[in-house]
Amino acid sequence: MLRKNARAQSTTEACALLSPARLDLIICDEASISGEVVLLRYGGRLVAGEDTSAALSLPPLPIYTRETLGAARFFMTVILRGQEHLTYPLAYPEPDGEFFGYDTVRVPEWYPPGTERGVKELVTTATRMARALLALEAGRYCGSKGGSVAAYREAIGGEWGDLLADLYVNGKLRWGYSIPTPPDERRLLRDLCARMLAFEHHFLARYHTYLLELLRAGDAAEQAHARATLTLIHFPGAEPPAAP
């Protein structure tokens, strides 16, 4: 397994020199695939051998929902803002920036060497939020970025479905996560970034309702999880009740 991981890493670095689209490679076997099973089931594509993905067990929906919400919170906090905690309502990562700080590169490994600005963090966070809301509001599992966007528009829709589609189609497919050069495309990106903050507020409002419901009616483990999460997201005037 160590040799395979080393080969995957070297392949990733070699591909990064040839293409502006970063290749993400994860090596695992069926015994260690639990964290990626939903992605494999709903976003995987067989390239060789026997397809055994249908036989893999999905995590229970409540656990999947909790994990995807937590992952989205992590991306909003650490990947978009470089912080450890959030306070509602949020501010833009960089209010005075051309793209409000949503173009900050915080994971250089996601880009070709030397990239100074990009939007993979933005697109990835938005699609993580979509995946979490799909689980929370529609009871649906989803894997890839594109699959999450399509499923959100189908199951939930509305203005956030349109925003997600615009971010994905332009940010990933048209621009390859890079910052566009033409002025009209830069204006489009700025407009998308301006709309992102309201989507984050929508997400956090739904997340807050979910956490309060766990505190009210969840079991002991769920209540502990809700209290722990509410130490990471501060909602002024809405302090959680103390543990019994």
Side-chain angles (χ1 to χ4, degrees), residues 2 4 12 37 52 58 65 68 80 89-90 117 128-130 141 189 200 204 207 209 217:
L2 290 177
K4 290 182 178 179
T12 299
V37 65
T52 60
L58 294 170
T65 300
T68 54
L80 279 191
L90 303 177
R117 293 284 171 174
R128 288 274 183 167
M129 293 161 63
Y141 297 86
L189 176 56
E200 291 186 279
L204 287 178
Y207 198 5
T209 300

Side-chain angles (χ1 to χ4, degrees), residues 20 33 51 71-72 77 104 110 116 129 134-135 144 154 198 203 205 217 223:
I33 202 172
D51 187 356
T77 308
T104 300
W110 283 357
E116 296 182 356
M129 293 161 63
L134 275 166
S144 66
E154 173 191 334
F203 174 87
Q223 291 176 349

Side-chain angles (χ1 to χ4, degrees), residues 123 127 131 142-152 168 172-173 177:
V123 175
T127 54
R131 191 179 309 172
C142 204
S144 66
K145 293 182 180 70
S148 299
V149 170
Y152 189 99
Y168 179 75
K172 179 180 181 180
L173 302 183
Y177 299 125

